[in-house]
Amino acid sequence: MSEAEWPTSSAVFFPGEDYIHHDIYPAINAETNKDLAQPGKVVLITGAGRGIGRAMALQYAHAGVASIIICSRTASELDDVESSIKAINGSTRVHKHTVDVTKEEAVKKCADVVKSEEGRLDILINNAGGSAAWTPLSDSDPKDWWRNLETNVQGPYHFLQAFLPLLVETAKKNDVVVDIINVASVGALIVLPGSSAYSISKLALLRLNEFVEAEYGSQGVNTVAIQPGGVVTRLAEQEIDTLRPYLTDTADLAGGWAVWFTKGARTWLNGRYASANWNVDRLEQMKDEIVNEDKLKVKLAV
Ligand SMILES: NC(=O)c1ccc[n+]([C@@H]2O[C@H](COP(=O)([O-])OP(=O)(O)OC[C@H]3O[C@@H](n4cnc5c(N)ncnc54)[C@H](OP(=O)(O)O)[C@@H]3O)[C@@H](O)[C@H]2O)c1
């Protein structure tokens, strides 16, 4: 897809057409770039059983973190990801939680177990997500439509509500910045007919991300909402005929981007939206422009 095919408000080419990536590259590749190592950190990833969440878990294994907590509803997929993590880094602790993100009590229980087993949380990645069938509003199934909002908005809310106390405690006790990555979508920024449930859920997530910064930014919490790229995954395959031209990226791109974001306190992105497709060195160069002009937030053009 070229720049002309996207509305400017989609921000797809925010850093310029020459600074777009579709696959992992040295600056964000924890397997080859040892500057990205993050020993001692505890990371929790929802939706880690396959697709983008799985790729993120494996990049954190390469980054040598102390512990990776992987969550989803399918235990067999978590077992497979655990084996892959161990094959990369045998000393990384792995905890598996079969938890439905829409179930408040299950998420609270997960938070209690993480606190007692690890006693800290450095990185929370709200990645679990789904999509209702894409169809015009009057043809949509009301239950399917609303369930999409529950998975993509209520799910991240539950994890934020349950884990922010441990994140803040970790930041304070260790005098560090802790990170949250909310996996949103460029779909939040465009009105593609048929995608109302998915698009609205991701737009809400961008605003939720801004609230986290407003309420916890001064307590050592650094949060970003990302477009992870367009990746052929089970979720994307549902609408493959519509999405095929957009699915040009690897899952490793988002995995690498996450590891880059949490290496060092990149607080100039706090509360903002970013895309894993954007070159991180170029983004660093644009830091002052982003902060001074308060870019990459949800605003009404007036
Ligand atoms: N693929 C893309 O091109 C693309 C583009 C933009 C944004 N995204 C976002 O990227 C994230 C990951 O998606 P993906 O493409 O990697 O899809 P995927 O391969 O289908 O993975 C989705 C993950 O979320 C988990 N999940 C879904 N509903 C859940 C629930 N109610 N409770 C707990 N876990 C749940 C799934 O596990 P279980 O089903 O086993 O629970 C699975 O591990 C999503 O937030 C998606 O919206 C993807």
Side-chain angles (χ1 to χ4, degrees):
M1 303 292 286
S2 72
E3 193 162 358
E5 293 168 83
W6 289 89
T8 311
S9 59
S10 71
V12 168
F13 294 97
F14 174 68
E17 206 160 358
D18 294 340
Y19 298 98
I20 301 299
H21 293 271
H22 299 286
D23 196 4
I24 197 161
Y25 51 101
I28 64 168
N29 189 341
E31 184 176 2
T32 53
N33 183 347
K34 294 306 161 197
D35 290 344
L36 293 168
Q38 294 170 52
K41 288 193 182 178
V42 176
V43 189
L44 186 151
I45 305 169
T46 69
R50 57 176 187 266
I52 290 162
R54 179 182 193 278
M56 287 176 164
L58 302 192
Q59 279 299 309
Y60 277 103
H62 284 300
V65 297
S67 177
I68 308 178
I69 300 141
I70 49 177
C71 307
S72 81
R73 293 168 302 183
T74 310
S76 58
E77 292 185 343
L78 296 181
D79 290 343
D80 177 64
V81 175
E82 178 183 32
S83 305
S84 302
I85 291 171
K86 289 290 186 189
I88 292 168
N89 188 342
S91 60
T92 298
R93 295 187 294 280
V94 179
H95 303 282
K96 296 173 287 183
H97 291 261
T98 43
V99 51
D100 183 331
V101 296
T102 66
K103 305 286 185 234
E104 180 190 344
E105 285 311 315
V107 178
K108 276 195 194 315
K109 191 174 155 213
C110 176
D112 289 344
V113 173
V114 170
K115 184 161 168 123
S116 75
E117 286 182 343
E118 292 290 348
R120 68 184 287 160
L121 185 64
D122 298 87
I123 300 164
L124 167 64
I125 304 185
N126 269 320
N127 166 72
S131 178
W134 285 21
T135 183
L137 286 169
S138 60
D139 298 333
S140 62
D141 172 351
K143 288 195 179 60
D144 191 31
W145 199 96
W146 191 247
R147 196 177 310 115
N148 201 183
L149 274 285
E150 289 176 343
T151 306
N152 294 2
V153 185
Q154 191 188 37
Y157 160 75
H158 280 155
F159 273 83
L160 291 166
Q161 200 274 340
F163 282 95
L164 271 162
L166 184 57
L167 285 159
V168 168
E169 187 183 305
T170 304
K172 277 199 184 127
K173 263 193 195 161
N174 302 285
D175 196 21
V176 293
V177 167
V178 294
D179 294 293
I180 297 172
I181 298 174
N182 291 304
V183 180
S185 170
V186 67
L189 307 175
I190 51 178
V191 180
L192 209 53
S195 70
S196 60
Y198 186 74
S199 175
I200 289 167
S201 72
K202 295 300 188 180
L203 182 59
L205 188 56
L206 298 196
R207 189 62 105 193
L208 187 58
N209 182 61
E210 292 180 23
F211 271 97
V212 174
E213 187 273 330
E215 294 176 356
Y216 296 92
S218 61
Q219 299 178 61
V221 177
N222 187 35
T223 185
V224 71
I226 67 161
Q227 149 69 359
V231 187
V232 178
T233 61
R234 195 177 307 168
L235 184 155
E237 272 172 350
Q238 277 174 241
E239 303 297 335
I240 194 74
D241 292 338
T242 313
L243 290 176
R244 199 184 305 276
Y246 306 94
L247 303 177
T248 52
D249 306 319
T250 65
D252 286 343
L253 176 71
W257 200 93
V259 166
W260 169 83
F261 175 71
T262 62
K263 175 68 193 189
R266 305 194 192 279
T267 51
W268 46 279
L269 279 173
N270 207 348
R272 303 184 197 278
Y273 167 91
S275 168
N277 297 106
W278 300 344
N279 178 274
V280 295
D281 295 323
R282 175 70 183 141
L283 213 48
E284 294 262 14
Q285 288 168 359
M286 297 175 79
K287 182 157 58 174
D288 290 345
E289 173 187 334
I290 291 168
V291 173
N292 296 340
E293 296 176 39
D294 201 22
K295 292 192 167 180
L296 306 176
K297 290 201 176 153
V298 177
K299 287 176 193 164
L300 195 67
V302 288

